[in-house]
Amino acid sequence: MDRCVVLVDAGYLLGAAASLVAGESSRSRIAVDHAGLIGQLRERAEAETGLPLLRIYWFDAAPDRRPLPEHRRLRVMPRVTVRLGALTRADGRWVQKGVDAAMHAELSELARNRACADVVLVTGDGDLLPGMTAAKDYGVAVHLWAVQAADGDFNQSEDLVAEADERRVLDREWITRSIRAREAVAPCPPTDPRPDIAKILAAPRPDESAPDSPADLPGLVGLRALNGGGLSGGLGSGGPNGIGPNGIGPNGIGLGGGAQGGEPAPPGGGDPDTGVHEPSRLPADARPPAHRFPTPKEIAAGITAARTVPPTPPPAPSTLRWSSDRGWVDRPGEGGSTCDSLPTLTQLTTAEQKWADREEDITTVAGDPNEVGQVFARRWTERLGDQGRLTGLWTDYPRIPHRVDGELLRYAARFGLLAHKDDQIDEHDRYAIRAGFWREIATRVPGGEALQTES
């Protein structure tokens, strides 16, 4: 038969393309226009062989051999047949099983039945060498196509290259016509650490004057429990200046200690209310040799100095993250939002609409995370009916109601965003999915122009 056939190892083609345009072999880092890519393959195969195309065979793998959305889109295209192997976990990573064997069997069968005169192979795996040799024995011309390697070296088996009748390289210009790197979304910076509770309790109060006695020092009584014994152990001697870890001076006013803020109190007792020991009542050998007890004037002076220390500035506002998880979003007040009662897309969708959505997902939605979020939001808002409810949702930006957010991520998982990962959507993709959701919402609410401008 004077026709040509193209056999594509999708793992090789898309993995090598990802390395070339995105700098890493993960297919999640690229967006693929499958219709455009199939058109390019057909056009180039017919031009190089001078023969009309019989069929393009697309070999790929999927968990449990269940087709992903990209496979469903491909198999409804004219002159395209999808063959799936298994995608399994081995040593903590995803590996293909059965793809090479399926390509070998298909190549041998086509050649033996003389279904084509020329075969174009887009692969780099040397396991296909026996099938290539068998096809040549049946009189089929074999064209081997390679994706331009990111490092300029070969990314194909040398034996495979040596056995091919013709060899061509799909360069960067050809690849980027239908494959592009996804926009990298910077991960959200971690929120500022929470201020230490001791610093909060020790912060000066603007409406109070300096206390007259050490017992009035703000925070001392309140921190009694935190220091295991509070003031009962007496006041330790402070350092020359400032407030130390436990009070005035580097060693501070002891909050559970004695001579040096934390050491056991010397014998001799003390005032039962303030814990202040009178130096004259202590035996000479019980007094700390290198320290003395502060006088009331020194204590008062230290407290006054502490009052003049400028208050600790409040922490910078925490960065709001694209998430409905309350643990990731700093929100004023407590309690749930009225937007949590908004219906989900499933509750708003009829059986007819569900069928139409499925057809649209297969034929027109490319699976880019940002696009997925926008498509979901468009359907949800159009079926919500009362557009005024979106205004309340907008006040919660960027928090998506929990039920809607969970459904959004489940919807996104249908587009293969879980493939080649540990059954979790990548954080970058989660950010992009939610960003797409809000970008669509912004087109339907007053004040949303600012978000569209930022985008």
Side-chain angles (χ1 to χ4, degrees), residues 233-237 246 251 254-266 288-289 291:
L235 296 174
S237 61
N246 295 313
N251 297 312
L255 297 181
Q260 295 191 36
E263 297 179 6
H291 299 279

Side-chain angles (χ1 to χ4, degrees), residues 50-64:
L51 300 173
L53 177 75
L54 170 63
R55 192 173 296 115
I56 294 177
Y57 289 89
W58 186 272
F59 295 88
D60 205 356
D64 300 325

Side-chain angles (χ1 to χ4, degrees), residues 148-412:
Q148 177 182 340
D151 56 5
D153 201 355
F154 287 114
N155 54 14
Q156 290 177 307
S157 164
E158 291 188 17
D159 293 335
L160 209 61
V161 172
E163 193 68 25
D165 295 309
E166 301 284 347
R167 182 173 183 268
R168 297 289 184 270
V169 175
L170 306 177
D171 59 17
R172 180 186 295 272
E173 181 181 357
W174 190 93
I175 290 294
T176 53
R177 286 165 56 188
S178 55
I179 300 175
R180 61 176 177 81
R182 286 180 176 165
E183 295 180 3
V185 180
C188 299
T191 57
D192 296 324
R194 301 291 184 186
D196 185 74
I197 186 172
K199 294 181 180 179
I200 295 177
L201 294 177
R205 302 174 185 175
D207 58 343
E208 285 187 354
S209 59
D212 295 326
S213 67
D216 295 328
L217 183 63
L220 282 180
V221 178
L223 288 175
R224 182 189 301 266
L226 296 177
N227 290 271
L231 303 174
S232 59
L235 296 174
S237 61
N241 296 301
I243 300 180
N246 295 313
I248 300 174
N251 297 312
I253 298 178
L255 297 181
Q260 295 191 36
E263 297 179 6
D271 187 272
D273 295 323
T274 65
V276 177
H277 293 268
E278 292 292 338
S280 60
R281 297 175 57 186
L282 294 175
D285 57 354
R287 301 176 189 176
H291 299 279
R292 64 180 179 81
F293 289 98
T295 66
K297 289 184 178 181
E298 291 174 332
I299 294 175
I303 294 173
T304 302
R307 289 294 188 182
T308 61
V309 175
T312 303
S318 297
T319 302
L320 295 178
R321 306 188 67 167
W322 296 96
S323 173
S324 66
D325 188 338
R326 295 175 190 272
W328 286 6
V329 179
D330 287 335
R331 299 184 49 77
E334 297 180 355
S337 168
T338 56
C339 290
D340 288 331
S341 61
L342 287 171
T344 62
L345 178 61
T346 300
Q347 295 171 327
L348 300 170
T349 304
T350 65
E352 293 78 8
Q353 289 172 326
K354 185 178 296 186
W355 177 266
D357 291 347
R358 179 178 175 276
E359 289 299 311
E360 182 183 5
D361 289 344
I362 292 174
T363 57
T364 63
V365 181
D368 178 81
N370 203 290
E371 179 191 10
V372 168
Q374 287 185 280
V375 171
F376 179 93
R378 172 174 55 79
R379 294 174 182 167
W380 183 65
T381 53
E382 288 176 351
R383 297 167 194 174
L384 189 59
D386 182 7
Q387 298 297 304
R389 304 179 74 178
L390 294 180
T391 304
L393 175 68
W394 185 249
T395 61
D396 270 358
Y397 169 85
R399 177 182 176 271
I400 303 174
H402 290 278
R403 296 166 62 220
V404 176
D405 183 66
E407 187 181 38
L408 169 62
L409 295 180
R410 288 192 299 272
Y411 171 75

